[in-house]
Amino acid sequence: MESLSMKSELLNTEVRYSIYLPDGYDFSERHYPVVYLLNGYTGNETDWIELGGMQGIVDNEIEEGKIQKMVIVMPDGDDRLYMNRTDGTYPYEDMFIKELLPFIESQYRIRKGKRFTGISGLSMGGAGSIKLALKYDTHFGACAAFSSAVYTEESVTTSDPESMNGYVSKAMPDMVGTKGKNRLNKSYEDYDVLHLVKTKDPALLKTVKLYFDCGDDDSLTLGNAELHKELTVRQIPHEYRVRDGAHTWPFWRESLPVGLQFISDSFWK
């Protein structure tokens, strides 16, 4: 079902979401595990359905017994990087955790708890899914991220300010400064997945099962490789894959079944 809505008191607006309910949902009393599937920058809650072909992919994976039946929720990321705006005017991250998750649990037959809750996404949604999963480790048990928008410090400090601000201006206009290391301010630190991995208690990071991949022709490959390195240095178990491909839907359509299999397997363990 596409473009349903939830009233958010925190954002003072309607938040759109699409949802996949597995075959037989309407005729059973079973409660299902849930995966939150996030869109990329400039996308919305219909991307994974209209461009990603998720319904056919998920139906096929379930039919072949590769993943178990699950509910998949696709909220509109609204180009907000899945985080709170630092001036307090648009607390998207708080909405996601404090309103969306309880709303979905109240409206649909969802198995509650970390063990049965996964999160996934591409690009902006890939970075968002890793950040949310690792930051809120009591909420999410597994994460599968594709072509995540993870950047090394060098790539940020040497990039064209205009190009970087184009990506973050709507969500966090003060995130990236204009000169050298000073560009990496507190707002950027709050966003940065690498900073979270470097500073959070590894015992807590280890409680989230993590898979991520990136294409070898993707400009984000350096950031993803750096994430793999930092996780390895801190001895955080994870699965990291590099495949032939770029920052494109053909790559993500191949990633989705792999990521969902990873998450589905975590539900059994």
Side-chain angles (χ1 to χ4, degrees):
M1 294 180 285
E2 294 187 35
S3 299
L4 305 175
S5 65
M6 175 200 76
K7 174 63 178 177
S8 169
E9 299 296 332
L10 289 172
L11 303 184
N12 193 31
T13 188
E14 296 286 330
V15 175
R16 298 191 308 275
Y17 70 95
S18 297
I19 190 164
Y20 169 93
L21 302 175
D23 185 43
Y25 177 92
D26 291 335
F27 307 103
S28 76
E29 297 181 358
R30 176 183 171 185
H31 285 67
Y32 297 85
V34 61
V35 174
Y36 292 86
L37 184 59
L38 311 185
N39 61 263
Y41 190 66
T42 74
N44 60 36
E45 78 285 354
T46 69
D47 274 23
W48 274 108
I49 299 171
E50 304 298 338
L51 300 173
M54 63 79 57
Q55 182 173 352
I57 291 171
V58 176
D59 283 347
N60 184 69
E61 292 295 298
I62 292 175
E63 188 173 322
E64 293 187 359
K66 295 180 179 179
I67 65 174
Q68 58 184 289
K69 289 185 175 182
M70 60 181 67
V71 170
I72 299 178
V73 183
M74 295 155 279
D76 178 15
D78 197 24
D79 292 349
R80 305 291 178 160
L81 312 186
Y82 301 98
M83 62 185 294
N84 295 335
R85 190 162 176 165
T86 50
D87 62 7
T89 60
Y90 204 86
Y92 186 99
E93 180 182 316
D94 288 348
M95 177 280 298
F96 195 102
I97 299 298
K98 298 177 181 179
E99 292 183 326
L100 180 64
L101 268 63
F103 173 82
I104 294 298
E105 291 180 352
S106 70
Q107 297 298 309
Y108 303 95
R109 294 197 310 278
I110 301 300
R111 297 192 70 175
K112 298 180 180 180
K114 168 188 175 79
R115 178 182 172 186
F116 302 105
T117 306
I119 190 168
S120 181
L122 67 89
S123 194
M124 177 185 79
S129 64
I130 296 174
K131 182 66 181 289
L132 290 170
L134 297 184
K135 184 174 181 179
Y136 298 97
D137 56 272
T138 59
H139 290 67
F140 300 100
C143 172
F146 319 127
S147 308
S148 301
V150 177
Y151 300 94
T152 64
E153 289 189 3
E154 182 180 10
S155 68
V156 176
T157 56
T158 60
S159 66
D160 176 7
E162 292 298 322
S163 65
M164 194 66 188
N165 285 339
Y167 174 66
V168 303
S169 59
K170 183 176 181 180
M172 198 72 61
D174 65 339
M175 180 185 289
V176 181
T178 58
K179 295 181 180 180
K181 287 286 185 179
N182 292 331
R183 300 179 70 185
L184 302 178
N185 55 32
K186 180 63 167 61
S187 297
Y188 184 81
E189 186 178 283
D190 289 342
Y191 164 79
D192 186 24
V193 170
L194 293 172
H195 178 77
L196 176 62
V197 169
K198 292 175 183 178
T199 57
K200 184 160 182 171
D201 182 352
L204 298 177
L205 296 176
K206 290 177 181 179
T207 68
V208 180
K209 296 179 174 64
L210 178 61
Y211 167 93
F212 60 103
D213 65 22
C214 194
D216 57 0
D217 295 319
D218 194 321
S219 63
L220 296 170
T221 187
L222 289 177
N224 281 262
E226 185 70 12
L227 175 60
H228 167 57
K229 187 189 86 169
E230 292 297 338
L231 289 165
T232 302
V233 167
R234 302 206 74 199
Q235 300 182 330
I236 309 301
H238 63 284
E239 298 289 334
Y240 170 54
R241 300 289 181 268
V242 178
R243 304 196 317 274
D244 180 38
H247 207 72
T248 62
W249 276 106
F251 183 87
W252 301 323
R253 284 192 288 267
E254 290 184 9
S255 294
L256 182 60
V258 178
L260 290 181
Q261 287 174 33
F262 179 85
I263 293 175
S264 180
D265 287 347
S266 78
F267 293 149
W268 294 109
K269 299 175 181 178

